[in-house]
């Protein structure tokens, strides 16, 4: 065997032929390494759609590497020699292939970075970790941004990036004279519903994906989720098609209905691009450029385009910065001292709460729920119930096709569960069932009443909201943004407080909320 110079390690979320890891690649001297390993589906109880998303995209990327004549060592999940984990497999392949150096784009996950470093060190191999230039902002730049600031706020970071990258800018000022169109972006659908929403851009599964589906259904038979409606983009070409369809068909109403929910339709006017972005099938620069071009072509209003750009150039980059500047301690945060278990029905959808049943059914069927379902339905419930943040994190990391830790963890632990004590958001996102009633018609078809906080028909969200305020009253009173909500607690009589606490305790014991079969 000819001497191997560089072995380029490519992970399942690094599927970009132009990644920094390939700079200087010589197909006569170097080779690419990829491996499908069970550990990545078992370290959390990864859903079937999520595992298929990764493996099908990896196998299609392997074909793209072949077409680009880049030599590849690829281990399939069902290969008899499969080592079962990234570390074991890489170590075995290093012994077999004897490369002079390992090269890779810096992994997105802290855990994986430690594994690769350990393997390289044990093998005595130099490891060339390259900047992930997929992102607008490097970790070093984010660290600079964070230096000396008492608090980190997305809005400040976002404005800085708009200026720095000249996105939606007129000189030094934001186009339209406003940085933020949030106030225009909170509409619910009227009583007649969302009307003719364009169908989701769905891709027929090809032989490669079907083979993965059979494998996953066999190997991970007991894992949550279903595959009948798997139709995600798993190639670069499909990802680009999804982006174009979004810009053409959905972007113009994206902003307006960003926070709206409708039973049975998770897709609405959202982009459904997070998995393609996170696996690096799409580049955020092309996504932002396409949205901005739609504004200039008068195809979409500024409020929608700005709202969308804020998610990609703002939130997505910001959470990555938070993750890499806070890990590994971040994983351990539990500012609210929450210790309840996640209800078992989160994994099955068997609850009698209409809003949660719908969000969970979509999650299990598609590996997808839109942002407001994640934040203000599933996340809200777990927060107010008082679930241990690590369990909530393990659930979100397991169930969604777009779930990778650098983006999932800050969203879950920080934004949704307030477990970082206010680093990500200035206050906990708490609300009664009335919020859900305002943003969707779910409550009309529910056995509970969002206006009731105690009594047999009280909505569990409403009960838990008041219980949350009661349990955290002292701490929340110090937060000026919570003052109004906390003040309302003082208006409750002792008997009312006791009724709330008693019902919340029954919810925690599992006597309320789980689906009861006759
Ligand atoms: C508890 C919780 C867990 C989450 N876990 C993930 C996750 O594992 N992976 C993930 O990509 N997103 C996660 N998000 C953020 C967001 O909900 C998803 O990115 C979004 O729902 C994906 O659907 P979409 O592509 O249709 O997004 P759209 O609503 O159409 O938004 C457009 C794009 O903006 C980006 N984006 C929007 N909001 C955020 C955000 N808060 N953080 C980072 N990027 C954002 C995404 O890339 C998304 O594709 C989570 C949010 C919450 C509240
Ligand atoms: S009443 Fe409560 S549980 Fe039922 S759908 Fe409304 S918010 Fe959800």
């Amino acid at each position: 065997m000819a001497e191997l110079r560089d072995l380029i390690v490519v992970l399942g979320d690094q599927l970009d032929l132009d990644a920094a890891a390939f700079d200087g690649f010589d197909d006569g001297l170097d080779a690419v390494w990829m491996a499908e390993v069970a550990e990545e589906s078992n370290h959390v109880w990864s859903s079937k759609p999520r595992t298929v998303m990764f493996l099908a995209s990896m196998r299609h990327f392997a074909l793209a590497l072949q077409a680009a004549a880049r030599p590849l060592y690829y281990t399939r999940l069902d290969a008899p020699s499969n080592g079962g984990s990234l570390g074991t497999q890489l170590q075995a392949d290093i012994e077999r292939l004897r490369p002079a150096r390992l090269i890779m784009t810096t992994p997105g996950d802290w855990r994986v970075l430690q594994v690769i470093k350990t393997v390289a060190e044990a093998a005595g191999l130099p490891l060339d970790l390259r900047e992930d230039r997929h992102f607008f902002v490097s970790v070093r730049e984010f660290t600079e941004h964070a230096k000396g600031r008492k608090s980190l706020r997305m809005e400040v970071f976002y404005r800085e990036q708009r200026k720095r990258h000249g996105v939606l800018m007129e000189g030094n000022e934001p186009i339209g004279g406003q940085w933020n169109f949030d106030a225009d972006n909170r509409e619910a659908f009227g009583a007649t519903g969302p009307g003719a929403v364009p169908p989701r851009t769905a891709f027929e599964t090809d032989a490669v994906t079907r083979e993965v589906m059979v494998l996953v259904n066999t190997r991970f038979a007991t894992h949550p989720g279903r595959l009948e409606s798997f139709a995600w983009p798993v190639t670069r070409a499909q990802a680009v098609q999804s982006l174009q369809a979004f810009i053409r068909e959905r972007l113009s109403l994206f902003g307006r209905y960003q926070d709206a929910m409708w039973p049975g339709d998770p897709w609405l006017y959202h982009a459904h691009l997070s998995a393609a972005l996170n696996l690096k099938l799409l580049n955020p620069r092309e996504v932002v450029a396409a949205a901005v071009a739609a504004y200039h072509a008068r195809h979409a209003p500024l409020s929608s385009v700005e709202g969308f750009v804020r998610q990609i150039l703002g939130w997505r980059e910001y959470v990555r910065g938070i993750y890499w500047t806070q890990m590994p301690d971040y994983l351990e945060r539990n500012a609210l001292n929450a210790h309840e278990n996640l209800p078992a029905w989160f994994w099955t959808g068997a609850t009698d709460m209409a809003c949660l049943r719908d969000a969970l059914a979509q999650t299990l069927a598609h590996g997808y729920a839109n942002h407001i379902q994640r934040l203000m339905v599933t996340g809200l419930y777990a927060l107010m119930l008082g679930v241990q943040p690590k369990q909530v994190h393990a659930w979100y990391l397991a169930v969604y096709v777009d779930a990778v830790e650098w983006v999932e963890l800050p969203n879950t632990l920080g934004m949704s569960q307030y477990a970082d004590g206010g680093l990500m958001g200035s206050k906990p996102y708490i609300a009664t069932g009335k919020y859900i009633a305002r943003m969707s018609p779910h409550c009309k078809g529910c056995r509970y009443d969002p206006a009731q906080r105690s009594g047999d028909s009280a909505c569990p969200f409403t009960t838990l909201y008041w219980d949350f305020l009661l349990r955290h009253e002292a701490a929340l009173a110090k937060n000026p943004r919570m003052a109004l909500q906390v003040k309302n607690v003082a208006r409750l009589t002792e008997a009312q407080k006791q009724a709330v606490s008693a019902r919340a305790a029954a919810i925690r014991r599992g006597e309320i909320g789980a689906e009861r079969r006759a």
Side-chain angles (χ1 to χ4, degrees), residues 4 134 156 181 244 258 274 390 406:
L4 182 61
H134 168 90
V156 176
F181 290 83
Q244 288 165 346
Q258 212 173 323
S274 47
K390 266 196 174 172
W406 65 263

Side-chain angles (χ1 to χ4, degrees), residues 322-323 325-339 387-391 393 409 412-414 417-424:
I322 295 275
Y323 178 82
T325 49
Q326 299 299 318
M327 280 297 277
D329 300 352
Y330 202 62
L331 203 49
E332 306 302 326
R333 305 263 174 101
N334 188 358
L336 296 173
N337 203 15
H339 290 292
V387 180
Q388 190 191 27
K390 266 196 174 172
Q391 290 191 34
H393 155 58
L409 186 67
T412 302
L413 213 106
Q417 301 300 298
Y418 200 71
D420 64 10
L423 185 77
M424 267 280 287

Side-chain angles (χ1 to χ4, degrees), residues 254 270-274 277-278 308 311-312 315-316 319 368-371 374-375 396 402-404 407-408 411-412 415-416:
F254 170 85
H270 292 273
H272 327 138
L273 293 175
S274 47
L277 275 162
N278 296 349
F308 182 71
Q311 308 308 319
I312 309 273
W315 281 111
R316 190 167 183 270
V319 299
Y368 179 85
N370 60 49
H371 184 66
R374 297 187 207 198
L375 185 65
Y396 278 101
D402 57 27
V404 279
V407 52
E408 177 278 330
N411 269 297
T412 302
M415 187 193 296
S416 158

Side-chain angles (χ1 to χ4, degrees), residues 62-111:
L63 295 175
L65 286 169
Q66 258 173 24
R70 297 185 193 171
L72 169 68
Y73 294 97
Y74 189 104
T75 304
R76 288 177 167 234
L77 187 70
D78 49 357
S81 62
N82 192 307
S85 72
L86 283 174
T88 325
Q89 188 60 44
L90 183 57
Q91 193 182 342
D93 287 333
I94 288 173
E95 281 165 20
R96 186 165 63 91
L97 302 169
R98 305 204 162 278
R101 185 169 61 155
L102 289 182
I103 297 183
M104 73 183 302
T105 306
T106 305
D109 284 11
W110 191 87
R111 172 186 62 90

